[in-house]
Amino acid sequence: MRDPVKVAVVQIEPVVFDRDATIEKMAGAVAEAAAAGAKLVVFPEAFIPVYPSSTWSRALAFWHSKPAKEMFARLARQAVEIPGPAHDRLASIARDNGVWLVTGATERDPAHPGTLYNSLLYYSPTGELANRHRKTVPTAHEKLIWGQGDASGIPAIDTEIGRIGGLICWENYMPLARFALYQSGVEIYIAASADEADTWQQSLGHFAREAGAYVLSPCHFQRRTSYPEDFELGPLPETYAPRAGSAIVAPDGSYLAGPLFGEEGILYAELDPQMILEVRQRHDAAGHSNRPDLFDFSLRETA
């Protein structure tokens, strides 16, 4: 980072199982954030078109169940394809507002449409897809939904507002994945999530201190009333996630904004590169705090 930059973390509900309507809702939030001066706008894990809550996605283990099969097919139909119209619309939202746009999405490869991925998509202010990271190891019930990605999107990308990179939810608990991110010089660390627990909030401070970087954690938020009437894999609790907990954390582990619980909203913070320099004097995970003469690490970006 060369200069301070204003960022926005968005915690709003998707229009559940409706990709295009969700993207249009996103467009309104991006425009609001851009008007407030944000140069980077981030959305949660699997924001498009819904995070598959464990309260219902476990039903997909019953592969012979017609409602379960239909629900997986519905999620696949509402996934983002690259290339494709939804991808083009996301690119135009970033370009029209002149911002970096990072969002979680269920992604489907048009060439191999049978497998879905939990992806983090990075769009530049010119509308280019600058990076795409597919979650390397889906967590618990997520294995019923998403396939395994590779490491090709883990390294941070160098941008005019700083080096931006990220991991998805409990992928952040993979120490070597984090170190690969640190080794790429990450300064703005996006920890997109659907974890509402207090332990996740504790972890955000650890990630920030360990990385010596700003951590932006948009958390997925959705309510029972947001589900379509024809949803068949209930029953669902009245809320999911009732707390969410999006936050922006400084390199010293302190909160700059949030955590935001139980409601929609946009968090803002100004990130100052001075603090990164200050905290890395004491600890630089991939620099003077590393011992490459003792520990050997390499990243295989493709399996």
Side-chain angles (χ1 to χ4, degrees), residues 10-18 22 25 44-57 71 75 106 141-142 146 193-196 218-228 231 236-246 260-265:
V10 181
Q11 180 172 295
I12 59 175
E13 290 185 275
V15 181
V16 175
F17 290 114
D18 190 329
T22 295
K25 185 173 182 179
E45 175 184 20
F47 180 68
I48 309 168
V50 66
Y51 177 78
S53 165
S54 60
T55 60
W56 59 261
S57 64
M71 192 53 59
L75 187 60
T106 291
H141 64 282
E142 295 175 357
W146 295 308
S193 181
D195 190 338
E196 60 171 343
C219 190
H220 201 97
F221 177 66
Q222 53 180 302
R223 287 172 279 220
R224 172 66 184 92
T225 52
S226 299
Y227 277 77
F231 183 78
L236 294 175
E238 284 304 307
T239 57
Y240 178 86
R243 299 182 71 229
S246 297
L260 178 63
F261 292 122
E263 62 180 326
E264 294 186 312

Side-chain angles (χ1 to χ4, degrees), residues 121-144:
L121 308 176
Y122 298 66
Y123 292 91
S124 76
T126 58
E128 297 174 302
L129 182 64
N131 195 20
R132 170 176 54 188
H133 172 54
R134 292 171 172 171
K135 191 173 186 180
T136 55
V137 182
T139 305
H141 64 282
E142 295 175 357
K143 293 178 173 67
L144 297 169

Side-chain angles (χ1 to χ4, degrees), residues 80-94:
V80 174
E81 293 188 341
I82 302 173
H87 158 68
D88 293 342
R89 179 62 179 129
L90 289 168
S92 73
I93 292 170

Side-chain angles (χ1 to χ4, degrees), residues 59 74 78 81 83 86 95 99 102 105 127 132 138 141 147 149 194-195 197 243 250 260 270 278 284:
R74 186 175 194 169
Q78 296 299 317
E81 293 188 341
R95 182 174 58 250
V99 299
V102 182
R132 170 176 54 188
H141 64 282
D195 190 338
R243 299 182 71 229
L260 178 63
E270 184 171 277
E278 290 174 357
D284 184 7

